[in-house]
Each structure stands twice: as structure tokens, then as C-alpha cells.
Amino acid sequence: MFIINYNAAMSSIVKRAIMHRIHVDDLKVGMNILSCDKAWLKLPFFGGSVKSINDITTLKNYGVRYVFIKKEDVEIDNFGESEGELDTKSINDTLLREAKQRDVGEFAPTIEEVEYLQRIHSFAQKATKNMFLDVRSGKTADSETAKFIVNSFVDSCFKKPALTASLTRLKSFDDYTFTHSINVSVLNISLGKKLGMDSDELKIIGLGGLFHDIGKMMIPDNVLNKPGKLTDSEYELIKKHVEYGYDIVKQYKWFPEAAYKCVLQHHERSDGAGYPEGLKDHEITKYGKISAIVDVYDAITSDRIYHKGMIPSKAMKLLFGWSGTHFNKILVKFFVDILGIYPVGTLVLLDTGELAIVFETNKKDPTRPVVMVITDCEKRKCEPYLFDLESYNVVTNIAYKSIICPLNDKKYGINTNETIDRFLTSSYFEV
Ligand SMILES: [Fe+2]
């Protein structure tokens, strides 16, 4: 259903907005409705951003024929570039403002659902590793395994979109290439769904994501995982993974032709600075553009031999900084929307296994608020205490605790606001 908040992020990115009338059949997920040919009071919402195909169906069911949208939204379909200056400083404020208006309970899962998806994720990691090692030894990648993995992700993305995307925060340092392939597949699907792709198309872009770096299996390990700086010739060799990957997937009859572009174009850049062909924005397909954004985001947020993974909010700022040059601006905006920030009072699962409630947002980094921890790692109730998620181990430079995902508080009978009030009252009397 529509969320009443106006999409503030888009308004800060695009300065010029002109209203445009389109038929409801031409409406796409992500477009911002300013008005329509029916009185809003007679509809179950008051306009705003189209979140899913269901929203469009609802509009049609209520007899809406024409809607007025912002002019730049017309360009979403061909991913043309929007106008206006980027204000990277306001990104965090925008995310926080949107978070306050978001009803997390609507989409938040239960721990059982989180655990189920974690199992799928870890199965996918092992299966992908085996599949990729088969390719390295000259065998064919197993089509059934690949399809099973991608179908599971598409399925879970329809059931629990926010959780499915947030599982990519579980990074694995040892098996970077395989975990990265899984994450690119999941995030490709998440971004594709946000753009309104149907499940058949999501399977294509998911397979493309899973195999986007398969060509790296043809690169010697000592070059691929070299800790130091690459020589020019080593870098040129690594760049060849794109063409090697294409040569591999085109041999597979079961691999959809449309997904070739994820493999071939994930290192192309909108300004023509990418490889292998140096294509410009209008020459890169949407699958190539999506895979490029997702690939870079996952790479810079992962720990590698030569760098520490960046926190998501920092990575988002970098992506915004690169949009318009390296990446398509509108797609970057949609991608940042997927990652989600948590409002005060949200029940969250920490990577320690503890449950906590978001207590105070963090303007500097919205992904690391102050939380009130309410259970131990085994989910047993404990004396609540406040913990600043920004704190980290100064020796390892790693955060002590991080949020994995929001949880549905109603399903656990936890009234988060009451819990915060009780905590504040008892603290007051203690003082
Ligand atoms: Fe790559």
C-alpha cells in the first residue's frame, strides 16, 4: 500500500519538477504521484511513491484512469538522467526523515523467517562455491543448482523484500568471490523488483548477478587475490574476466541470453570510463547499469585483503557522488531506497543474536543508531541497557555490534514504546 510520505530524496536530487499526466497503465513502480483524476478522499491513500505493482492494481480497482506525476519520473523507464545538483550532505537527513515516516512493522519479519532465509543464504554460498570451482576445473556449472538458488531469492524477495536485501550484510571474508556473487544476485533482484520487474525478469537478472564474475575462475589465484598493488599487466589480465565470463555463459543453453549483459557490462560506466568497450550511459543496457551499481556497492562494503569494508551509509554517499558520472542517477536513488534505515522504536536483530530497540537515531550515520539491548544472545530477557552502535574496537577497527534487520515487534508481543518509557522512568528514579 502507498506510504503517505512524499519521496524527499528525489526532491533533493531533482530541482526542476513539472507535472505530467499519464494513463494509469503507463504508471511504473517508483514513480511519484502528485495527483489523479479521482478525489484522494475517496481512495485508500493520499498519493506518494508507487511501491509495488499492487499499488497500481489498487488504483485501477478504484477507477483511476489518469495520474499526474513528476516530469522526471517519465524518464525512469529508459533510465535517462535527471537534472539538478546532487546534495550529498542532505542524504542522511533525508534517510532519517523517511525512516520516521516508515511503518517497519508492515514488512518486518520474525526470527524464524530470518533464520530460514539465513539457511537459504548459507546453502547458496556453499552451492555457489562448488559450482564456481567446477567451472575452474573445466566442468559445466550445474543449471539446476543455479536456478534453485535464484528462484529462492526471487521468492523471498516477493515475501520479505527488506530482509532479503539485508541478508547481504552478512559478509564472508574467506569466500569473497562466492559471497559477492550471491550478494550481487540478491541485490540485482531487489533493485529489479523495486523497478517493477516481474518474476521472470527477476530470475534473469538474478542469474546474471550470480554469474557476473564467473570469468574470474579463469584468472590465476595469485593474481586474483594478490594482497599488494597489481602491476599494469596483472590489472589488464583481471579486466579480461568480463570476456572470459561471457565465453563461459554463452556455452550454457540454459543461461538466458538477456543475462549476458550483466556479465559483459557490469564494469561499464555511464561516462564511458569503464571496460571492456567504454560504452556511454545510453549504450549500456539496464541490466548492465543495475549490475554495475550493485557490484560496486557490495565490493566497497566487503572486507578484502587490501581494504576494510565501508559502512553502508558511507558507501551510499560514494554511490551518490559517482552517480551521473559512473552510474545512472535514478537507479542509484532507487538502490539507496532499498537499503532502509530504522526509526526510533523499531525492534531489531543484532549480529550478536541479541534483540534491541532503536533508541536514538544517529545523524552522522543512520545505519548505526543508539539501541536499547533487551535480550542476551540466546534471546533471554536481560536488564535493558543502551548501546551506541557507532562504537567499535579500536584495535581491529570493527564495530562491536551491527543491525542485521528489523523485526516485527507485534509478533513477539513486545511493545517497544512502552519498553522505552519504562526504561526512561526507571532511569529517572534511579538518578
Ligand atoms: Fe567483475
Side-chain angles (χ1 to χ4, degrees):
M1 190 46 62
F2 283 75
I3 294 173
I4 297 173
N5 69 324
Y6 178 70
N7 200 325
M10 185 65 102
S11 71
S12 69
I13 295 166
V14 183
K15 305 282 185 199
R16 275 195 339 199
I18 301 164
M19 215 144 81
H20 210 86
R21 191 181 86 141
I22 61 164
H23 195 275
V24 72
D25 283 340
D26 296 324
L27 200 53
K28 298 269 189 309
V29 172
M31 287 180 169
N32 287 293
I33 303 176
L34 300 174
S35 177
C36 74
D37 61 358
K38 291 266 178 220
W40 285 124
L41 287 176
K42 293 186 177 166
L43 301 173
F45 46 80
F46 299 93
S49 154
V50 179
K51 301 284 178 200
S52 67
I53 297 293
N54 288 346
D55 290 346
I56 299 170
T57 312
T58 308
L59 277 174
K60 288 180 187 171
N61 291 344
Y62 275 79
V64 172
R65 291 181 62 226
Y66 290 98
V67 293
F68 293 88
I69 60 163
K70 288 167 72 182
K71 184 186 170 286
E72 71 271 12
D73 283 353
V74 178
E75 298 170 6
I76 286 173
D77 200 25
N78 58 13
F79 306 115
E81 291 208 348
S82 56
E83 294 175 30
E85 290 301 306
L86 282 169
D87 179 5
T88 50
K89 283 184 193 141
S90 72
I91 293 168
N92 281 352
D93 285 347
T94 303
L95 291 170
L96 286 171
R97 206 164 45 242
E98 289 193 343
K100 280 181 192 154
Q101 292 165 309
R102 185 177 290 142
D103 181 3
V104 174
E106 243 181 67
F107 61 80
T110 62
I111 289 173
E112 291 74 23
E113 286 166 328
V114 175
E115 285 172 350
Y116 172 70
L117 277 178
Q118 276 180 329
R119 281 201 296 276
I120 291 180
H121 199 266
S122 84
F123 163 80
Q125 251 173 310
K126 284 179 205 128
T128 303
K129 184 175 181 176
N130 291 337
M131 210 162 53
F132 277 36
L133 292 178
D134 276 351
V135 172
R136 175 164 276 177
S137 61
K139 292 184 201 150
T140 307
D142 181 47
S143 63
E144 292 311 310
T145 307
K147 284 180 193 167
F148 176 79
I149 292 169
V150 169
N151 292 354
S152 313
F153 291 153
V154 171
D155 191 44
S156 70
C157 197
F158 273 102
K159 288 179 186 155
K160 295 286 163 197
L163 173 63
T164 308
S166 69
L167 282 186
T168 59
R169 293 195 182 119
L170 300 170
K171 310 282 188 191
S172 163
F173 176 75
D174 294 335
D175 288 331
Y176 171 74
T177 304
F178 317 115
T179 313
H180 173 66
S181 302
I182 293 282
N183 289 346
V184 171
S185 176
V186 170
L187 292 173
N188 265 7
I189 292 168
S190 300
L191 182 50
K193 183 170 175 290
K194 184 93 186 160
L195 296 165
M197 292 179 191
D198 61 20
S199 77
D200 288 341
E201 203 174 357
L202 294 179
K203 285 172 189 170
I204 292 172
I205 200 166
L207 274 174
L210 190 63
F211 282 82
H212 78 286
D213 265 350
I214 190 71
K216 284 191 175 166
M217 293 299 100
M218 300 296 113
I219 310 288
D221 231 0
N222 60 331
V223 175
L224 194 61
N225 295 314
K226 184 177 171 181
K229 202 175 179 296
L230 295 171
T231 62
D232 288 350
S233 60
E234 285 167 340
Y235 183 55
E236 289 307 313
L237 179 61
I238 287 214
K239 278 162 71 175
K240 288 232 180 310
H241 79 276
V242 170
E243 281 129 322
Y244 292 160
Y246 173 62
D247 289 341
I248 292 169
V249 294
K250 76 176 180 195
Q251 290 170 27
Y252 301 154
K253 285 198 174 65
W254 54 269
F255 195 86
E257 230 177 288
Y260 291 170
K261 300 297 180 194
C262 300
V263 182
L264 264 179
Q265 297 182 343
H266 72 272
H267 285 288
E268 297 288 357
R269 298 293 178 256
S270 292
D271 55 1
Y275 63 88
E277 290 190 85
L279 301 175
K280 287 269 172 77
D281 192 77
H282 66 278
E283 297 166 308
I284 311 170
T285 63
K286 64 181 173 182
Y287 291 175
K289 289 177 193 179
I290 289 171
S291 304
I293 294 169
V294 166
D295 177 43
V296 167
Y297 172 79
D298 189 68
I300 60 179
T301 52
S302 301
D303 286 343
R304 304 296 305 277
I305 305 165
Y306 40 84
H307 71 70
K308 282 267 164 234
M310 235 174 246
I311 53 173
S313 67
K314 213 170 180 179
M316 285 180 214
K317 278 186 191 171
L318 273 183
L319 285 185
F320 264 110
W322 288 325
S323 69
T325 48
H326 286 359
F327 306 122
N328 182 280
K329 280 183 187 176
I330 293 175
L331 288 178
V332 168
K333 196 262 153 199
F334 273 86
F335 183 64
V336 172
D337 260 8
I338 295 171
L339 302 167
I341 307 296
Y342 322 105
V344 169
T346 307
L347 181 68
V348 291
L349 175 64
L350 303 180
D351 57 357
T352 51
E354 297 161 300
L355 296 184
I357 297 169
V358 175
F359 187 81
E360 194 180 280
T361 49
N362 173 357
K363 276 200 169 170
K364 225 165 77 196
D365 179 2
T367 62
R368 298 201 162 275
V370 175
V371 293
M372 189 169 83
V373 181
I374 57 169
T375 74
D376 63 13
C377 309
E378 304 296 326
K379 318 279 181 307
R380 288 179 300 234
K381 260 189 182 175
C382 70
E383 194 62 43
Y385 65 94
L386 295 182
F387 191 88
D388 186 349
L389 293 181
E390 242 197 337
S391 52
Y392 61 92
N393 185 322
V394 287
V395 179
T396 61
N397 212 17
I398 293 172
Y400 290 115
K401 303 173 198 269
S402 303
I403 294 175
I404 292 189
C405 65
L407 290 172
N408 190 329
D409 51 350
K410 290 174 196 81
K411 288 191 180 161
Y412 295 97
I414 298 171
N415 186 326
T416 56
N417 289 332
E418 249 178 52
T419 314
I420 291 177
D421 284 350
R422 246 195 336 268
F423 177 77
L424 288 173
T425 315
S426 63
S427 303
Y428 175 79
F429 283 117
E430 275 165 23
V431 173

Coordinates of all heavy atoms in Angstrom, one line a residue, residues 19 34 53 56 83 136 195 202 206 219 239 242 272 303 306 314 357 367 375 384 410 420:
M19 N 4.7 18.8 -13.7 CA 3.7 17.8 -13.6 C 3.4 17.2 -15.0 O 3.4 18.0 -16.0 CB 2.4 18.4 -13.0 CG 1.7 17.4 -12.2 SD 0.9 18.1 -10.7 CE -0.5 18.8 -11.4
L34 N 1.5 12.9 -7.9 CA 1.2 14.2 -7.3 C -0.3 14.3 -7.2 O -0.8 15.0 -6.3 CB 1.8 15.3 -8.2 CG 3.3 15.3 -8.3 CD1 3.8 16.4 -9.3 CD2 4.0 15.4 -7.0
I53 N 3.5 -3.3 -7.7 CA 2.5 -3.5 -8.8 C 1.1 -3.4 -8.1 O 0.2 -3.0 -8.7 CB 2.7 -4.8 -9.5 CG1 4.1 -4.8 -10.2 CG2 1.6 -5.2 -10.5 CD1 4.2 -3.9 -11.4
I56 N -0.5 -0.2 -8.2 CA -1.1 0.2 -9.5 C -2.5 -0.5 -9.6 O -3.4 0.1 -10.1 CB -0.1 -0.1 -10.6 CG1 1.2 0.7 -10.4 CG2 -0.7 0.2 -12.0 CD1 2.3 0.2 -11.3
E83 N 17.9 16.0 -14.0 CA 18.7 17.2 -13.9 C 18.9 17.6 -12.5 O 18.2 17.2 -11.6 CB 18.0 18.3 -14.7 CG 18.0 18.0 -16.2 CD 17.2 19.1 -16.9 OE1 17.2 20.2 -16.5 OE2 16.6 18.7 -18.0
R136 N 36.1 -23.8 -12.7 CA 37.6 -23.6 -12.7 C 38.2 -24.9 -13.2 O 39.2 -24.9 -13.9 CB 38.1 -23.2 -11.3 CG 39.6 -23.2 -11.2 CD 40.0 -22.5 -10.0 NE 40.1 -21.0 -10.2 CZ 40.4 -20.2 -9.2 NH1 40.7 -20.6 -8.0 NH2 40.5 -18.9 -9.5
L195 N 12.1 -1.7 -9.3 CA 11.8 -1.0 -10.6 C 10.6 -1.7 -11.3 O 10.3 -1.3 -12.4 CB 13.0 -1.1 -11.5 CG 14.3 -0.4 -11.0 CD1 15.5 -0.9 -11.8 CD2 14.1 1.1 -11.1
L202 N 13.1 -11.0 -13.1 CA 14.0 -11.1 -11.9 C 14.9 -12.3 -11.9 O 16.0 -12.2 -11.4 CB 13.1 -11.0 -10.6 CG 12.3 -9.7 -10.3 CD1 11.5 -9.8 -9.1 CD2 13.3 -8.5 -10.3
G206 N 18.8 -12.1 -11.8 CA 19.4 -12.8 -10.6 C 20.5 -13.8 -11.1 O 21.5 -13.9 -10.5
I219 N 41.1 -16.7 -14.0 CA 42.3 -15.9 -13.6 C 43.1 -16.6 -12.5 O 42.4 -17.1 -11.5 CB 41.8 -14.5 -13.0 CG1 40.8 -13.8 -13.9 CG2 43.0 -13.6 -12.7 CD1 41.3 -13.3 -15.2
K239 N 41.0 -7.6 -15.9 CA 39.9 -7.0 -16.7 C 39.3 -8.0 -17.7 O 38.1 -7.9 -18.1 CB 40.4 -5.7 -17.4 CG 40.4 -4.5 -16.5 CD 41.3 -3.4 -17.0 CE 40.8 -2.7 -18.2 NZ 41.6 -1.5 -18.6
V242 N 35.7 -10.3 -17.7 CA 34.4 -10.0 -18.3 C 34.2 -10.8 -19.6 O 33.2 -11.5 -19.7 CB 34.3 -8.5 -18.6 CG1 33.1 -8.1 -19.4 CG2 34.3 -7.7 -17.3
G272 N 31.5 6.5 -19.9 CA 32.4 5.9 -20.9 C 33.7 5.5 -20.4 O 34.6 5.0 -21.1
D303 N 34.9 -6.7 3.4 CA 36.3 -6.7 3.8 C 37.1 -7.5 2.7 O 36.7 -8.5 2.3 CB 36.5 -7.4 5.1 CG 36.0 -6.6 6.3 OD1 35.9 -5.4 6.1 OD2 35.8 -7.2 7.4
Y306 N 43.0 -6.2 0.9 CA 43.6 -4.8 0.8 C 42.8 -3.7 1.4 O 43.2 -2.6 1.4 CB 44.1 -4.5 -0.6 CG 43.0 -5.0 -1.7 CD1 42.0 -4.2 -2.0 CD2 43.2 -6.2 -2.3 CE1 41.0 -4.6 -2.9 CE2 42.2 -6.7 -3.2 CZ 41.2 -5.8 -3.5 OH 40.2 -6.3 -4.4
K314 N 28.2 5.3 4.3 CA 29.4 5.9 3.6 C 29.4 5.4 2.2 O 29.6 6.2 1.2 CB 30.7 5.4 4.3 CG 31.8 6.4 4.3 CD 32.9 6.0 5.2 CE 34.0 7.0 5.2 NZ 35.1 6.6 6.1
I357 N 16.1 -2.4 20.7 CA 15.1 -1.4 20.2 C 15.9 -0.1 19.9 O 16.7 0.3 20.7 CB 14.0 -1.1 21.3 CG1 13.2 -2.4 21.6 CG2 13.1 0.0 20.8 CD1 12.3 -2.3 22.9
T367 N 22.7 4.2 9.8 CA 22.7 2.8 10.0 C 23.2 2.3 11.4 O 23.1 1.1 11.7 CB 23.5 2.1 8.9 OG1 24.9 2.5 9.1 CG2 23.0 2.4 7.5
T375 N 17.7 -8.3 25.2 CA 17.9 -9.8 25.5 C 19.4 -10.1 25.4 O 20.2 -9.3 24.8 CB 17.1 -10.7 24.5 OG1 17.8 -10.6 23.2 CG2 15.7 -10.3 24.3
P384 N 17.6 -4.1 30.5 CA 17.9 -3.3 29.3 C 19.0 -2.3 29.6 O 19.2 -1.8 30.7 CB 16.6 -2.5 29.1 CG 15.5 -3.2 29.9 CD 16.2 -3.9 31.0
K410 N 5.2 -6.8 16.9 CA 3.8 -7.3 17.3 C 3.8 -8.8 17.5 O 3.2 -9.4 18.3 CB 2.8 -6.8 16.3 CG 2.6 -5.3 16.4 CD 1.7 -4.8 15.4 CE 1.8 -3.3 15.3 NZ 3.0 -2.8 14.5
I420 N 10.5 1.4 26.1 CA 11.4 2.6 26.2 C 10.9 3.5 27.4 O 11.8 3.9 28.2 CB 11.4 3.4 24.9 CG1 12.1 2.6 23.8 CG2 12.1 4.7 25.1 CD1 12.1 3.2 22.4

